Amino acid sequence: MCATPIWAVTAAVQYGVVFGLYDDVQGVMEHQKSASEIDSVSYQSLAKIAWSLSLTVQILLCQCGLGGFINSLLSWSGWQILSRLTYSVFLLHIGLITVLAGQMRHPLSLNPDFEFGVLYLAFWLYLTFQQLSSILLWNNQSRI
C-alpha cells in the first residue's frame, strides 16, 4: 500500500491549521479588515479536531510501518535524552518552585534567571540520577 497520498492529505490539513487564518491576521494587523465571524468560528471549532485527527493518522501510519523517513527520524535514540530531561524537569519544577517560594520573605516574581536555574538544576540532578541508576543496574546485571 502506498501511503504517500495519505501523508500528503494529513500534511495539508496540518498546514491549513497552522496557516489557516494568515490572511485574516495580516488584515487585522494592517487595520484593513477584521476577520469574519464565520471564519473565526469555523476555524476555532474545527482546527483542534482536524489537527488531532491528522496527527492520529500519522501516528498510525508510523505504527504500521508506513512512516518512511519520518518514522526513522522520530525513532532516533537521541530523542530519549531530551524526553527524559523534559520529564525530569516536569517532575521537579513545581516542587522546587514551591519550596523556593516558601522560603522567600518577599513577594515572588519569576524571572528568566530563576527559570534557567531550575532547568540547570534539574539537568544536573537528572544526569546524577541517570549515572547512579546506570551504575547500579550494570553492577546488578554482572551478578546475575
Side-chain angles (χ1 to χ4, degrees):
M1 176 181 166
C2 183
T4 304
I6 300 171
W7 275 103
V9 168
T10 58
V13 167
Q14 290 175 339
Y15 182 83
V17 169
V18 172
F19 298 110
L21 293 179
Y22 179 77
D23 291 334
D24 292 334
V25 171
Q26 286 299 106
V28 169
M29 293 182 77
E30 295 171 1
H31 303 292
Q32 293 175 355
K33 64 175 183 168
S34 62
S36 69
E37 190 173 332
I38 293 174
D39 289 343
S40 296
V41 169
S42 61
Y43 180 82
Q44 291 297 326
S45 62
L46 297 175
K48 293 177 181 163
I49 295 170
W51 181 269
S52 61
L53 287 176
S54 64
L55 192 61
T56 301
V57 169
Q58 288 176 348
I59 290 170
L60 289 174
L61 285 171
C62 286
Q63 186 67 28
C64 294
L66 300 172
F69 76 94
I70 293 176
N71 191 21
S72 56
L73 174 72
L74 294 176
S75 300
W76 179 51
S77 61
W79 295 117
Q80 290 179 355
I81 297 168
L82 279 176
S83 68
R84 291 177 184 162
L85 176 63
T86 56
Y87 186 65
S88 65
V89 169
F90 166 73
L91 291 178
L92 293 172
H93 198 237
I94 191 68
L96 189 60
I97 288 177
T98 305
V99 168
L100 292 175
Q103 293 176 349
M104 292 184 173
R105 297 187 185 269
H106 53 82
L108 176 67
S109 62
L110 298 178
N111 60 20
D113 295 334
F114 179 76
E115 294 293 325
F116 181 74
V118 170
L119 181 66
Y120 189 74
L121 179 65
F123 176 72
W124 285 107
L125 286 174
Y126 162 72
L127 285 181
T128 304
F129 177 75
Q130 189 72 22
Q131 286 296 338
L132 289 175
S133 61
S134 296
I135 291 170
L136 290 174
L137 286 173
W138 281 106
N139 286 340
N140 288 337
Q141 285 181 355
S142 62
R143 292 180 190 161
I144 296 177

